[in-house]
Structure formats: structure tokens, C-alpha cells
Amino acid sequence: EVQLLESGGGLVQPGGSLRLSCAASGFTFSSYAMSWVRQAPGKGLEWVSTISGSGGSTYYADSVKGRFTISRDNSKNTLYLQMNTLRAEDTAVYYCAKGYDSSGRNFDFWGQGTLVTVSS
Amino acid sequence: EIVLTQSPGTLSLSPGERATLSCRASQSVSSSYLAWYQHKPGQAPRLLIYGASSRATGIPDRFSGSGSGTDFTLTISRLEPEDFAVYYCQQYGGSPRVTFGQGTRLEI
């Protein structure tokens, strides 16, 4: 059974940093692209970032480029999102998601999400 | 960036009825790289359709997707009580960047 378990969310002040983790199990982690998708309160889904299975390719939404860094440790079956220079508009539930087809950019399994609140 | 516009914003129907949800792209979505998701409060989103018309694993056949280019449709042939949720379309073609529509709320 595929499981994705996010952790690391919490309350942080504007300008602060946070690192999210997503522990994966139930599939060959290194074979799949992984992504982060967020949902701000009362809003829709917003793609944040994607990383290839090997970790050699990364992609970011313009809204987070230069501030967020996606990475993975295939030996630990874990996905990360390092978030720096956080802004109020980064407040959201952050989901990690597993790539489905060969594009890796549609998502068949999602975690339950971790809430990040950026506020003073 | 490809912008996806979903309509209607809210759709009010009853169990047993047919639902038709629309997703229009600001430019052509290459190779029909268009997906649909169902999202219920407090739950993880669920992939329904990918490649514009292919059902994901385990998705009932009352869900179907169609369209190409800039106009796409999700149809739920006979609504079940568990189908009432928010539905999002997503494009993932061409550029590595991914965009979602703003969602359609399907309510009783």
C-alpha cells in the first residue's frame, strides 16, 4: 500500500524558514517523480515544485523560485521541501504527491498534508 | 503560463443526475496532458482522469473525460452521494510547470 506522510509544518514568522519532509513507502521511490502541491485557506490547488526520480531535475513555480528548494534522499525514501524567506502568502496546506504516468506531473497518490502558517 | 478556467464555479445537482464540468485552457494543451481530480474536505485529492480521457486505476466508469486542444470536459454519468466534492482540472503538457484550474464545487 502506497503511503505518503508529510511532516515539518507549523507556525513561522515572515522571513523565516521551514523544512518539510515526506516519508514514502509501498512503492519503488527512486522510480517516480515527486512533487509538492499546496492549498491556501479557501483557495484551490497550486503546484509548487517537482523533482525527477533520480533527483537530477527540479522544477518550480514562479511564486517560489529562488526561495524554495526541493530535494530527495532515495536511500531514505524521503522527499523534502526547504522553504526560505517565507511570506504570508505561503500559508497553506502542503501536500506531497507521487507522479503517475511517464510525465511524472500528474499525481496518483497524495499525502494528507501538513499546514504551514506564516504569521507574526 | 497556461491558465485553466473551470465552469461553472458551483454545480447543484441531485444523486442520479448527470454532471458536466468544463475546463478551458488559455492555449492549446499539448498531447492532451490534461488531468481531473476530485477533492473532498480533509482528504487527499484523488486522480480521476489523465491524458484527457484515460481513467486512473480504480476509478468507476461513470467518470469520463473528453476534449482536446483548449476545451475539456469531465462527465459523471449518474451521480452517487459520494461524488459531491470539488473537482479540479490540471494541465501538465509542454513546459515542466503545472497549473490547476480554480475548481468546480459539485453540491447537492
Side-chain angles (χ1 to χ4, degrees), chain A residues 39 44-45 47 59-60 62 65 95 100-101 103 105-107 110-112, chain B residues 37 39 42-45 47 50 56-57 88 90 92 95-98 100:
Chain A
Q39 184 176 34
L45 300 173
W47 171 75
Y59 311 98
Y60 298 93
D62 289 343
K65 195 168 187 178
Y95 297 97
Y100 181 55
D101 66 8
S103 76
R105 291 177 288 118
N106 50 32
F107 317 121
W110 301 59
Q112 289 299 310
Chain B
Y37 297 84
H39 194 195
Q43 296 187 19
L47 176 65
Y50 66 98
T57 304
Y88 294 95
Q90 175 217 2
Y92 52 100
S95 159
R97 291 174 178 80
V98 167
F100 289 91

PDB file of all heavy atoms in Angstrom, chain A residues 39 44-45 47 59-60 62 65 95 100-101 103 105-107 110-112, chain B residues 37 39 42-45 47 50 56-57 88 90 92 95-98 100:
ATOM      1  N   GLN A  39      -2.344  24.200  -0.920  1.00  0.00           N
ATOM      2  CA  GLN A  39      -3.686  24.770  -0.960  1.00  0.00           C
ATOM      3  C   GLN A  39      -3.799  25.798   0.140  1.00  0.00           C
ATOM      4  O   GLN A  39      -3.816  25.452   1.330  1.00  0.00           O
ATOM      5  CB  GLN A  39      -4.757  23.692  -0.809  1.00  0.00           C
ATOM      6  CG  GLN A  39      -6.170  24.246  -0.944  1.00  0.00           C
ATOM      7  CD  GLN A  39      -7.235  23.172  -0.903  1.00  0.00           C
ATOM      8  OE1 GLN A  39      -7.103  22.153  -0.210  1.00  0.00           O
ATOM      9  NE2 GLN A  39      -8.305  23.365  -1.662  1.00  0.00           N
ATOM     10  N   GLY A  44      -7.828  27.180  -4.207  1.00  0.00           N
ATOM     11  CA  GLY A  44      -7.648  25.937  -4.929  1.00  0.00           C
ATOM     12  C   GLY A  44      -6.243  25.387  -4.808  1.00  0.00           C
ATOM     13  O   GLY A  44      -5.409  25.882  -4.051  1.00  0.00           O
ATOM     14  N   LEU A  45      -5.979  24.347  -5.585  1.00  0.00           N
ATOM     15  CA  LEU A  45      -4.675  23.693  -5.568  1.00  0.00           C
ATOM     16  C   LEU A  45      -3.667  24.509  -6.379  1.00  0.00           C
ATOM     17  O   LEU A  45      -4.006  25.058  -7.435  1.00  0.00           O
ATOM     18  CB  LEU A  45      -4.789  22.289  -6.158  1.00  0.00           C
ATOM     19  CG  LEU A  45      -5.735  21.330  -5.441  1.00  0.00           C
ATOM     20  CD1 LEU A  45      -5.873  20.033  -6.238  1.00  0.00           C
ATOM     21  CD2 LEU A  45      -5.250  21.053  -4.031  1.00  0.00           C
ATOM     22  N   TRP A  47       0.359  24.047  -7.772  1.00  0.00           N
ATOM     23  CA  TRP A  47       1.600  23.299  -7.899  1.00  0.00           C
ATOM     24  C   TRP A  47       2.767  24.153  -7.405  1.00  0.00           C
ATOM     25  O   TRP A  47       2.850  25.341  -7.709  1.00  0.00           O
ATOM     26  CB  TRP A  47       1.809  22.888  -9.353  1.00  0.00           C
ATOM     27  CG  TRP A  47       3.160  22.306  -9.629  1.00  0.00           C
ATOM     28  CD1 TRP A  47       3.598  21.054  -9.296  1.00  0.00           C
ATOM     29  CD2 TRP A  47       4.238  22.946 -10.312  1.00  0.00           C
ATOM     30  NE1 TRP A  47       4.897  20.883  -9.721  1.00  0.00           N
ATOM     31  CE2 TRP A  47       5.307  22.035 -10.360  1.00  0.00           C
ATOM     32  CE3 TRP A  47       4.414  24.200 -10.897  1.00  0.00           C
ATOM     33  CZ2 TRP A  47       6.522  22.325 -10.958  1.00  0.00           C
ATOM     34  CZ3 TRP A  47       5.623  24.502 -11.490  1.00  0.00           C
ATOM     35  CH2 TRP A  47       6.667  23.568 -11.516  1.00  0.00           C
ATOM     36  N   TYR A  59      11.987  21.464 -10.816  1.00  0.00           N
ATOM     37  CA  TYR A  59      11.170  22.489 -11.439  1.00  0.00           C
ATOM     38  C   TYR A  59      10.393  23.209 -10.351  1.00  0.00           C
ATOM     39  O   TYR A  59       9.977  22.594  -9.360  1.00  0.00           O
ATOM     40  CB  TYR A  59      10.196  21.858 -12.437  1.00  0.00           C
ATOM     41  CG  TYR A  59      10.862  20.895 -13.394  1.00  0.00           C
ATOM     42  CD1 TYR A  59      10.826  19.533 -13.149  1.00  0.00           C
ATOM     43  CD2 TYR A  59      11.525  21.343 -14.521  1.00  0.00           C
ATOM     44  CE1 TYR A  59      11.442  18.631 -14.002  1.00  0.00           C
ATOM     45  CE2 TYR A  59      12.148  20.452 -15.392  1.00  0.00           C
ATOM     46  CZ  TYR A  59      12.101  19.104 -15.114  1.00  0.00           C
ATOM     47  OH  TYR A  59      12.713  18.228 -15.971  1.00  0.00           O
ATOM     48  N   TYR A  60      10.159  24.521 -10.562  1.00  0.00           N
ATOM     49  CA  TYR A  60       9.499  25.323  -9.544  1.00  0.00           C
ATOM     50  C   TYR A  60       8.468  26.255 -10.153  1.00  0.00           C
ATOM     51  O   TYR A  60       8.633  26.751 -11.264  1.00  0.00           O
ATOM     52  CB  TYR A  60      10.533  26.187  -8.803  1.00  0.00           C
ATOM     53  CG  TYR A  60      11.578  25.392  -8.065  1.00  0.00           C
ATOM     54  CD1 TYR A  60      12.786  25.069  -8.660  1.00  0.00           C
ATOM     55  CD2 TYR A  60      11.343  24.955  -6.764  1.00  0.00           C
ATOM     56  CE1 TYR A  60      13.742  24.329  -7.986  1.00  0.00           C
ATOM     57  CE2 TYR A  60      12.305  24.219  -6.077  1.00  0.00           C
ATOM     58  CZ  TYR A  60      13.496  23.898  -6.705  1.00  0.00           C
ATOM     59  OH  TYR A  60      14.432  23.160  -6.033  1.00  0.00           O
ATOM     60  N   ASP A  62       6.827  29.899 -10.386  1.00  0.00           N
ATOM     61  CA  ASP A  62       7.462  31.218 -10.315  1.00  0.00           C
ATOM     62  C   ASP A  62       7.315  31.835  -8.925  1.00  0.00           C
ATOM     63  O   ASP A  62       8.185  32.571  -8.473  1.00  0.00           O
ATOM     64  CB  ASP A  62       6.846  32.152 -11.361  1.00  0.00           C
ATOM     65  CG  ASP A  62       7.252  31.780 -12.777  1.00  0.00           C
ATOM     66  OD1 ASP A  62       8.244  31.036 -12.948  1.00  0.00           O
ATOM     67  OD2 ASP A  62       6.571  32.222 -13.725  1.00  0.00           O
ATOM     68  N   LYS A  65      10.204  30.206  -6.809  1.00  0.00           N
ATOM     69  CA  LYS A  65      11.537  30.027  -7.368  1.00  0.00           C
ATOM     70  C   LYS A  65      12.528  30.969  -6.688  1.00  0.00           C
ATOM     71  O   LYS A  65      12.240  32.153  -6.490  1.00  0.00           O
ATOM     72  CB  LYS A  65      11.515  30.278  -8.880  1.00  0.00           C
ATOM     73  CG  LYS A  65      12.746  29.781  -9.603  1.00  0.00           C
ATOM     74  CD  LYS A  65      12.529  29.801 -11.101  1.00  0.00           C
ATOM     75  CE  LYS A  65      13.690  29.142 -11.835  1.00  0.00           C
ATOM     76  NZ  LYS A  65      13.490  29.097 -13.296  1.00  0.00           N
ATOM     77  N   TYR A  95       0.945  19.437   0.336  1.00  0.00           N
ATOM     78  CA  TYR A  95       0.817  18.013   0.042  1.00  0.00           C
ATOM     79  C   TYR A  95       2.042  17.534  -0.740  1.00  0.00           C
ATOM     80  O   TYR A  95       2.482  18.227  -1.672  1.00  0.00           O
ATOM     81  CB  TYR A  95      -0.401  17.746  -0.828  1.00  0.00           C
ATOM     82  CG  TYR A  95      -1.737  18.082  -0.233  1.00  0.00           C
ATOM     83  CD1 TYR A  95      -2.370  19.286  -0.514  1.00  0.00           C
ATOM     84  CD2 TYR A  95      -2.419  17.166   0.583  1.00  0.00           C
ATOM     85  CE1 TYR A  95      -3.618  19.591   0.004  1.00  0.00           C
ATOM     86  CE2 TYR A  95      -3.676  17.464   1.110  1.00  0.00           C
ATOM     87  CZ  TYR A  95      -4.256  18.680   0.816  1.00  0.00           C
ATOM     88  OH  TYR A  95      -5.499  18.966   1.332  1.00  0.00           O
ATOM     89  N   TYR A 100       2.375   9.911 -11.585  1.00  0.00           N
ATOM     90  CA  TYR A 100       1.617   8.748 -12.046  1.00  0.00           C
ATOM     91  C   TYR A 100       2.150   8.208 -13.370  1.00  0.00           C
ATOM     92  O   TYR A 100       2.741   7.136 -13.411  1.00  0.00           O
ATOM     93  CB  TYR A 100       0.141   9.108 -12.175  1.00  0.00           C
ATOM     94  CG  TYR A 100      -0.747   7.970 -12.636  1.00  0.00           C
ATOM     95  CD1 TYR A 100      -0.760   6.760 -11.964  1.00  0.00           C
ATOM     96  CD2 TYR A 100      -1.590   8.120 -13.738  1.00  0.00           C
ATOM     97  CE1 TYR A 100      -1.578   5.726 -12.366  1.00  0.00           C
ATOM     98  CE2 TYR A 100      -2.409   7.081 -14.145  1.00  0.00           C
ATOM     99  CZ  TYR A 100      -2.405   5.889 -13.465  1.00  0.00           C
ATOM    100  OH  TYR A 100      -3.212   4.850 -13.860  1.00  0.00           O
ATOM    101  N   ASP A 101       1.941   8.961 -14.456  1.00  0.00           N
ATOM    102  CA  ASP A 101       2.352   8.412 -15.753  1.00  0.00           C
ATOM    103  C   ASP A 101       3.783   8.844 -16.080  1.00  0.00           C
ATOM    104  O   ASP A 101       4.494   9.373 -15.230  1.00  0.00           O
ATOM    105  CB  ASP A 101       1.361   8.814 -16.837  1.00  0.00           C
ATOM    106  CG  ASP A 101       1.350  10.315 -17.120  1.00  0.00           C
ATOM    107  OD1 ASP A 101       2.213  11.047 -16.601  1.00  0.00           O
ATOM    108  OD2 ASP A 101       0.463  10.757 -17.865  1.00  0.00           O
ATOM    109  N   SER A 103       4.988  11.198 -17.605  1.00  0.00           N
ATOM    110  CA  SER A 103       5.313  12.616 -17.459  1.00  0.00           C
ATOM    111  C   SER A 103       5.746  12.939 -16.030  1.00  0.00           C
ATOM    112  O   SER A 103       6.486  13.892 -15.790  1.00  0.00           O
ATOM    113  CB  SER A 103       4.108  13.486 -17.827  1.00  0.00           C
ATOM    114  OG  SER A 103       3.141  13.472 -16.786  1.00  0.00           O
ATOM    115  N   ARG A 105       4.026  14.259 -13.918  1.00  0.00           N
ATOM    116  CA  ARG A 105       3.461  15.533 -13.475  1.00  0.00           C
ATOM    117  C   ARG A 105       1.948  15.487 -13.344  1.00  0.00           C
ATOM    118  O   ARG A 105       1.292  16.526 -13.329  1.00  0.00           O
ATOM    119  CB  ARG A 105       3.930  16.654 -14.384  1.00  0.00           C
ATOM    120  CG  ARG A 105       5.416  16.921 -14.221  1.00  0.00           C
ATOM    121  CD  ARG A 105       5.947  17.987 -15.157  1.00  0.00           C
ATOM    122  NE  ARG A 105       6.013  17.535 -16.532  1.00  0.00           N
ATOM    123  CZ  ARG A 105       5.338  18.087 -17.521  1.00  0.00           C
ATOM    124  NH1 ARG A 105       4.551  19.124 -17.290  1.00  0.00           N
ATOM    125  NH2 ARG A 105       5.458  17.635 -18.748  1.00  0.00           N
ATOM    126  N   ASN A 106       1.384  14.277 -13.303  1.00  0.00           N
ATOM    127  CA  ASN A 106       0.071  14.104 -12.718  1.00  0.00           C
ATOM    128  C   ASN A 106       0.261  13.150 -11.553  1.00  0.00           C
ATOM    129  O   ASN A 106       1.262  12.442 -11.480  1.00  0.00           O
ATOM    130  CB  ASN A 106      -0.982  13.628 -13.714  1.00  0.00           C
ATOM    131  CG  ASN A 106      -0.524  12.425 -14.522  1.00  0.00           C
ATOM    132  OD1 ASN A 106       0.224  11.596 -14.035  1.00  0.00           O
ATOM    133  ND2 ASN A 106      -0.963  12.346 -15.750  1.00  0.00           N
ATOM    134  N   PHE A 107      -0.671  13.151 -10.617  1.00  0.00           N
ATOM    135  CA  PHE A 107      -0.350  12.634  -9.289  1.00  0.00           C
ATOM    136  C   PHE A 107      -1.400  11.638  -8.822  1.00  0.00           C
ATOM    137  O   PHE A 107      -2.554  12.010  -8.610  1.00  0.00           O
ATOM    138  CB  PHE A 107      -0.257  13.796  -8.302  1.00  0.00           C
ATOM    139  CG  PHE A 107       0.493  14.985  -8.850  1.00  0.00           C
ATOM    140  CD1 PHE A 107      -0.117  16.212  -8.951  1.00  0.00           C
ATOM    141  CD2 PHE A 107       1.811  14.864  -9.263  1.00  0.00           C
ATOM    142  CE1 PHE A 107       0.567  17.315  -9.465  1.00  0.00           C
ATOM    143  CE2 PHE A 107       2.507  15.952  -9.782  1.00  0.00           C
ATOM    144  CZ  PHE A 107       1.875  17.180  -9.886  1.00  0.00           C
ATOM    145  N   TRP A 110      -1.404  11.022  -2.915  1.00  0.00           N
ATOM    146  CA  TRP A 110      -1.103  12.249  -2.193  1.00  0.00           C
ATOM    147  C   TRP A 110      -1.054  11.937  -0.700  1.00  0.00           C
ATOM    148  O   TRP A 110      -1.753  11.051  -0.208  1.00  0.00           O
ATOM    149  CB  TRP A 110      -2.218  13.279  -2.412  1.00  0.00           C
ATOM    150  CG  TRP A 110      -2.496  13.684  -3.820  1.00  0.00           C
ATOM    151  CD1 TRP A 110      -2.861  12.884  -4.859  1.00  0.00           C
ATOM    152  CD2 TRP A 110      -2.493  15.013  -4.330  1.00  0.00           C
ATOM    153  NE1 TRP A 110      -3.070  13.632  -5.988  1.00  0.00           N
ATOM    154  CE2 TRP A 110      -2.861  14.939  -5.691  1.00  0.00           C
ATOM    155  CE3 TRP A 110      -2.216  16.266  -3.770  1.00  0.00           C
ATOM    156  CZ2 TRP A 110      -2.950  16.079  -6.506  1.00  0.00           C
ATOM    157  CZ3 TRP A 110      -2.317  17.398  -4.570  1.00  0.00           C
ATOM    158  CH2 TRP A 110      -2.676  17.289  -5.922  1.00  0.00           C
ATOM    159  N   GLY A 111      -0.244  12.713   0.019  1.00  0.00           N
ATOM    160  CA  GLY A 111      -0.288  12.627   1.463  1.00  0.00           C
ATOM    161  C   GLY A 111      -1.499  13.368   2.007  1.00  0.00           C
ATOM    162  O   GLY A 111      -2.287  13.929   1.238  1.00  0.00           O
ATOM    163  N   GLN A 112      -1.642  13.365   3.312  1.00  0.00           N
ATOM    164  CA  GLN A 112      -2.753  14.060   3.952  1.00  0.00           C
ATOM    165  C   GLN A 112      -2.473  15.540   4.140  1.00  0.00           C
ATOM    166  O   GLN A 112      -3.381  16.305   4.475  1.00  0.00           O
ATOM    167  CB  GLN A 112      -3.073  13.411   5.298  1.00  0.00           C
ATOM    168  CG  GLN A 112      -3.717  12.044   5.168  1.00  0.00           C
ATOM    169  CD  GLN A 112      -5.039  12.106   4.417  1.00  0.00           C
ATOM    170  OE1 GLN A 112      -5.914  12.923   4.722  1.00  0.00           O
ATOM    171  NE2 GLN A 112      -5.206  11.254   3.408  1.00  0.00           N
TER     172      GLN A 112
ATOM    173  N   TYR B  37      -9.104  15.881 -11.035  1.00  0.00           N
ATOM    174  CA  TYR B  37      -9.011  15.385  -9.665  1.00  0.00           C
ATOM    175  C   TYR B  37     -10.304  15.688  -8.922  1.00  0.00           C
ATOM    176  O   TYR B  37     -10.968  16.691  -9.180  1.00  0.00           O
ATOM    177  CB  TYR B  37      -7.866  16.072  -8.900  1.00  0.00           C
ATOM    178  CG  TYR B  37      -6.499  15.807  -9.463  1.00  0.00           C
ATOM    179  CD1 TYR B  37      -6.013  16.567 -10.519  1.00  0.00           C
ATOM    180  CD2 TYR B  37      -5.699  14.792  -8.948  1.00  0.00           C
ATOM    181  CE1 TYR B  37      -4.754  16.315 -11.047  1.00  0.00           C
ATOM    182  CE2 TYR B  37      -4.436  14.537  -9.471  1.00  0.00           C
ATOM    183  CZ  TYR B  37      -3.984  15.306 -10.521  1.00  0.00           C
ATOM    184  OH  TYR B  37      -2.738  15.056 -11.044  1.00  0.00           O
ATOM    185  N   HIS B  39     -11.617  16.359  -4.957  1.00  0.00           N
ATOM    186  CA  HIS B  39     -11.065  16.722  -3.664  1.00  0.00           C
ATOM    187  C   HIS B  39     -12.198  16.953  -2.673  1.00  0.00           C
ATOM    188  O   HIS B  39     -13.078  17.788  -2.905  1.00  0.00           O
ATOM    189  CB  HIS B  39     -10.199  17.986  -3.779  1.00  0.00           C
ATOM    190  CG  HIS B  39      -9.344  18.230  -2.578  1.00  0.00           C
ATOM    191  ND1 HIS B  39      -8.727  19.435  -2.322  1.00  0.00           N
ATOM    192  CD2 HIS B  39      -8.975  17.412  -1.555  1.00  0.00           C
ATOM    193  CE1 HIS B  39      -8.030  19.354  -1.213  1.00  0.00           C
ATOM    194  NE2 HIS B  39      -8.167  18.135  -0.737  1.00  0.00           N
ATOM    195  N   GLY B  42     -10.647  17.768   3.998  1.00  0.00           N
ATOM    196  CA  GLY B  42      -9.920  16.937   4.938  1.00  0.00           C
ATOM    197  C   GLY B  42      -9.317  15.675   4.346  1.00  0.00           C
ATOM    198  O   GLY B  42      -8.742  14.868   5.076  1.00  0.00           O
ATOM    199  N   GLN B  43      -9.463  15.513   3.037  1.00  0.00           N
ATOM    200  CA  GLN B  43      -8.914  14.320   2.388  1.00  0.00           C
ATOM    201  C   GLN B  43      -7.874  14.725   1.339  1.00  0.00           C
ATOM    202  O   GLN B  43      -7.804  15.876   0.925  1.00  0.00           O
ATOM    203  CB  GLN B  43     -10.019  13.516   1.705  1.00  0.00           C
ATOM    204  CG  GLN B  43     -11.054  12.948   2.657  1.00  0.00           C
ATOM    205  CD  GLN B  43     -12.036  12.031   1.957  1.00  0.00           C
ATOM    206  OE1 GLN B  43     -11.777  11.528   0.853  1.00  0.00           O
ATOM    207  NE2 GLN B  43     -13.177  11.780   2.584  1.00  0.00           N
ATOM    208  N   ALA B  44      -7.068  13.753   0.923  1.00  0.00           N
ATOM    209  CA  ALA B  44      -6.138  13.987  -0.169  1.00  0.00           C
ATOM    210  C   ALA B  44      -6.890  14.022  -1.495  1.00  0.00           C
ATOM    211  O   ALA B  44      -7.885  13.298  -1.658  1.00  0.00           O
ATOM    212  CB  ALA B  44      -5.081  12.886  -0.201  1.00  0.00           C
ATOM    213  N   PRO B  45      -6.458  14.837  -2.430  1.00  0.00           N
ATOM    214  CA  PRO B  45      -7.062  14.795  -3.765  1.00  0.00           C
ATOM    215  C   PRO B  45      -6.919  13.410  -4.392  1.00  0.00           C
ATOM    216  O   PRO B  45      -6.006  12.649  -4.058  1.00  0.00           O
ATOM    217  CB  PRO B  45      -6.264  15.854  -4.536  1.00  0.00           C
ATOM    218  CG  PRO B  45      -5.761  16.800  -3.492  1.00  0.00           C
ATOM    219  CD  PRO B  45      -5.449  15.908  -2.315  1.00  0.00           C
ATOM    220  N   LEU B  47      -6.844  11.335  -8.116  1.00  0.00           N
ATOM    221  CA  LEU B  47      -6.731  11.406  -9.573  1.00  0.00           C
ATOM    222  C   LEU B  47      -7.861  10.599 -10.213  1.00  0.00           C
ATOM    223  O   LEU B  47      -8.025   9.415  -9.920  1.00  0.00           O
ATOM    224  CB  LEU B  47      -5.374  10.867 -10.021  1.00  0.00           C
ATOM    225  CG  LEU B  47      -5.132  10.774 -11.525  1.00  0.00           C
ATOM    226  CD1 LEU B  47      -5.108  12.168 -12.165  1.00  0.00           C
ATOM    227  CD2 LEU B  47      -3.834  10.029 -11.816  1.00  0.00           C
ATOM    228  N   TYR B  50      -6.522  11.092 -16.614  1.00  0.00           N
ATOM    229  CA  TYR B  50      -5.282  11.649 -17.122  1.00  0.00           C
ATOM    230  C   TYR B  50      -5.277  11.490 -18.636  1.00  0.00           C
ATOM    231  O   TYR B  50      -6.073  10.721 -19.185  1.00  0.00           O
ATOM    232  CB  TYR B  50      -4.058  10.970 -16.481  1.00  0.00           C
ATOM    233  CG  TYR B  50      -3.902   9.513 -16.853  1.00  0.00           C
ATOM    234  CD1 TYR B  50      -3.027   9.126 -17.868  1.00  0.00           C
ATOM    235  CD2 TYR B  50      -4.641   8.532 -16.203  1.00  0.00           C
ATOM    236  CE1 TYR B  50      -2.898   7.797 -18.222  1.00  0.00           C
ATOM    237  CE2 TYR B  50      -4.520   7.201 -16.552  1.00  0.00           C
ATOM    238  CZ  TYR B  50      -3.655   6.835 -17.562  1.00  0.00           C
ATOM    239  OH  TYR B  50      -3.531   5.518 -17.910  1.00  0.00           O
ATOM    240  N   ALA B  56      -7.962   6.741 -14.294  1.00  0.00           N
ATOM    241  CA  ALA B  56      -6.906   6.233 -13.425  1.00  0.00           C
ATOM    242  C   ALA B  56      -7.349   4.916 -12.789  1.00  0.00           C
ATOM    243  O   ALA B  56      -8.531   4.563 -12.807  1.00  0.00           O
ATOM    244  CB  ALA B  56      -6.572   7.271 -12.355  1.00  0.00           C
ATOM    245  N   THR B  57      -6.391   4.231 -12.221  1.00  0.00           N
ATOM    246  CA  THR B  57      -6.652   2.928 -11.631  1.00  0.00           C
ATOM    247  C   THR B  57      -7.747   3.016 -10.566  1.00  0.00           C
ATOM    248  O   THR B  57      -7.691   3.877  -9.677  1.00  0.00           O
ATOM    249  CB  THR B  57      -5.367   2.374 -10.983  1.00  0.00           C
ATOM    250  OG1 THR B  57      -4.331   2.332 -11.966  1.00  0.00           O
ATOM    251  CG2 THR B  57      -5.593   0.986 -10.422  1.00  0.00           C
ATOM    252  N   TYR B  88     -11.028  19.562  -9.824  1.00  0.00           N
ATOM    253  CA  TYR B  88     -10.021  20.411 -10.435  1.00  0.00           C
ATOM    254  C   TYR B  88      -9.507  19.786 -11.727  1.00  0.00           C
ATOM    255  O   TYR B  88      -9.268  18.572 -11.776  1.00  0.00           O
ATOM    256  CB  TYR B  88      -8.804  20.581  -9.504  1.00  0.00           C
ATOM    257  CG  TYR B  88      -9.082  21.324  -8.222  1.00  0.00           C
ATOM    258  CD1 TYR B  88      -9.392  20.642  -7.052  1.00  0.00           C
ATOM    259  CD2 TYR B  88      -9.019  22.716  -8.180  1.00  0.00           C
ATOM    260  CE1 TYR B  88      -9.643  21.320  -5.871  1.00  0.00           C
ATOM    261  CE2 TYR B  88      -9.258  23.403  -6.995  1.00  0.00           C
ATOM    262  CZ  TYR B  88      -9.574  22.693  -5.850  1.00  0.00           C
ATOM    263  OH  TYR B  88      -9.817  23.384  -4.688  1.00  0.00           O
ATOM    264  N   GLN B  90      -6.217  19.965 -14.409  1.00  0.00           N
ATOM    265  CA  GLN B  90      -4.778  20.244 -14.301  1.00  0.00           C
ATOM    266  C   GLN B  90      -4.148  20.009 -15.659  1.00  0.00           C
ATOM    267  O   GLN B  90      -4.447  19.013 -16.319  1.00  0.00           O
ATOM    268  CB  GLN B  90      -4.132  19.299 -13.278  1.00  0.00           C
ATOM    269  CG  GLN B  90      -2.632  19.407 -13.171  1.00  0.00           C
ATOM    270  CD  GLN B  90      -1.946  18.065 -12.938  1.00  0.00           C
ATOM    271  OE1 GLN B  90      -2.587  17.013 -12.880  1.00  0.00           O
ATOM    272  NE2 GLN B  90      -0.636  18.084 -12.812  1.00  0.00           N
ATOM    273  N   TYR B  92      -0.442  19.510 -17.705  1.00  0.00           N
ATOM    274  CA  TYR B  92       0.949  19.161 -17.415  1.00  0.00           C
ATOM    275  C   TYR B  92       1.732  18.931 -18.707  1.00  0.00           C
ATOM    276  O   TYR B  92       2.673  18.162 -18.755  1.00  0.00           O
ATOM    277  CB  TYR B  92       1.022  17.938 -16.489  1.00  0.00           C
ATOM    278  CG  TYR B  92       0.236  16.736 -16.954  1.00  0.00           C
ATOM    279  CD1 TYR B  92       0.865  15.685 -17.583  1.00  0.00           C
ATOM    280  CD2 TYR B  92      -1.140  16.646 -16.728  1.00  0.00           C
ATOM    281  CE1 TYR B  92       0.149  14.571 -17.999  1.00  0.00           C
ATOM    282  CE2 TYR B  92      -1.863  15.543 -17.147  1.00  0.00           C
ATOM    283  CZ  TYR B  92      -1.224  14.514 -17.780  1.00  0.00           C
ATOM    284  OH  TYR B  92      -1.936  13.411 -18.189  1.00  0.00           O
ATOM    285  N   SER B  95       5.751  22.785 -21.090  1.00  0.00           N
ATOM    286  CA  SER B  95       6.592  23.296 -20.010  1.00  0.00           C
ATOM    287  C   SER B  95       6.517  22.377 -18.803  1.00  0.00           C
ATOM    288  O   SER B  95       5.473  21.801 -18.525  1.00  0.00           O
ATOM    289  CB  SER B  95       6.101  24.685 -19.621  1.00  0.00           C
ATOM    290  OG  SER B  95       6.533  25.026 -18.319  1.00  0.00           O
ATOM    291  N   PRO B  96       7.656  22.261 -18.064  1.00  0.00           N
ATOM    292  CA  PRO B  96       7.574  21.446 -16.841  1.00  0.00           C
ATOM    293  C   PRO B  96       6.580  21.981 -15.825  1.00  0.00           C
ATOM    294  O   PRO B  96       6.202  21.263 -14.902  1.00  0.00           O
ATOM    295  CB  PRO B  96       9.004  21.531 -16.283  1.00  0.00           C
ATOM    296  CG  PRO B  96       9.854  21.900 -17.434  1.00  0.00           C
ATOM    297  CD  PRO B  96       9.005  22.766 -18.307  1.00  0.00           C
ATOM    298  N   ARG B  97       6.221  23.255 -15.990  1.00  0.00           N
ATOM    299  CA  ARG B  97       5.315  23.822 -14.997  1.00  0.00           C
ATOM    300  C   ARG B  97       3.915  23.265 -15.156  1.00  0.00           C
ATOM    301  O   ARG B  97       3.439  23.007 -16.248  1.00  0.00           O
ATOM    302  CB  ARG B  97       5.320  25.347 -15.116  1.00  0.00           C
ATOM    303  CG  ARG B  97       6.639  25.951 -14.663  1.00  0.00           C
ATOM    304  CD  ARG B  97       6.719  27.446 -14.900  1.00  0.00           C
ATOM    305  NE  ARG B  97       7.977  27.994 -14.413  1.00  0.00           N
ATOM    306  CZ  ARG B  97       9.123  27.913 -15.080  1.00  0.00           C
ATOM    307  NH1 ARG B  97       9.149  27.325 -16.252  1.00  0.00           N
ATOM    308  NH2 ARG B  97      10.214  28.414 -14.567  1.00  0.00           N
ATOM    309  N   VAL B  98       3.281  23.113 -14.031  1.00  0.00           N
ATOM    310  CA  VAL B  98       1.951  22.516 -13.930  1.00  0.00           C
ATOM    311  C   VAL B  98       0.982  23.586 -13.452  1.00  0.00           C
ATOM    312  O   VAL B  98       1.328  24.390 -12.593  1.00  0.00           O
ATOM    313  CB  VAL B  98       1.981  21.352 -12.914  1.00  0.00           C
ATOM    314  CG1 VAL B  98       0.585  20.916 -12.527  1.00  0.00           C
ATOM    315  CG2 VAL B  98       2.796  20.200 -13.448  1.00  0.00           C
ATOM    316  N   PHE B 100      -3.284  24.292 -12.268  1.00  0.00           N
ATOM    317  CA  PHE B 100      -4.609  23.786 -11.945  1.00  0.00           C
ATOM    318  C   PHE B 100      -5.647  24.847 -12.280  1.00  0.00           C
ATOM    319  O   PHE B 100      -5.362  26.054 -12.217  1.00  0.00           O
ATOM    320  CB  PHE B 100      -4.716  23.476 -10.457  1.00  0.00           C
ATOM    321  CG  PHE B 100      -3.935  22.271  -9.997  1.00  0.00           C
ATOM    322  CD1 PHE B 100      -2.625  22.398  -9.553  1.00  0.00           C
ATOM    323  CD2 PHE B 100      -4.518  21.008  -9.993  1.00  0.00           C
ATOM    324  CE1 PHE B 100      -1.906  21.287  -9.124  1.00  0.00           C
ATOM    325  CE2 PHE B 100      -3.806  19.900  -9.556  1.00  0.00           C
ATOM    326  CZ  PHE B 100      -2.496  20.041  -9.131  1.00  0.00           C
TER     327      PHE B 100
END
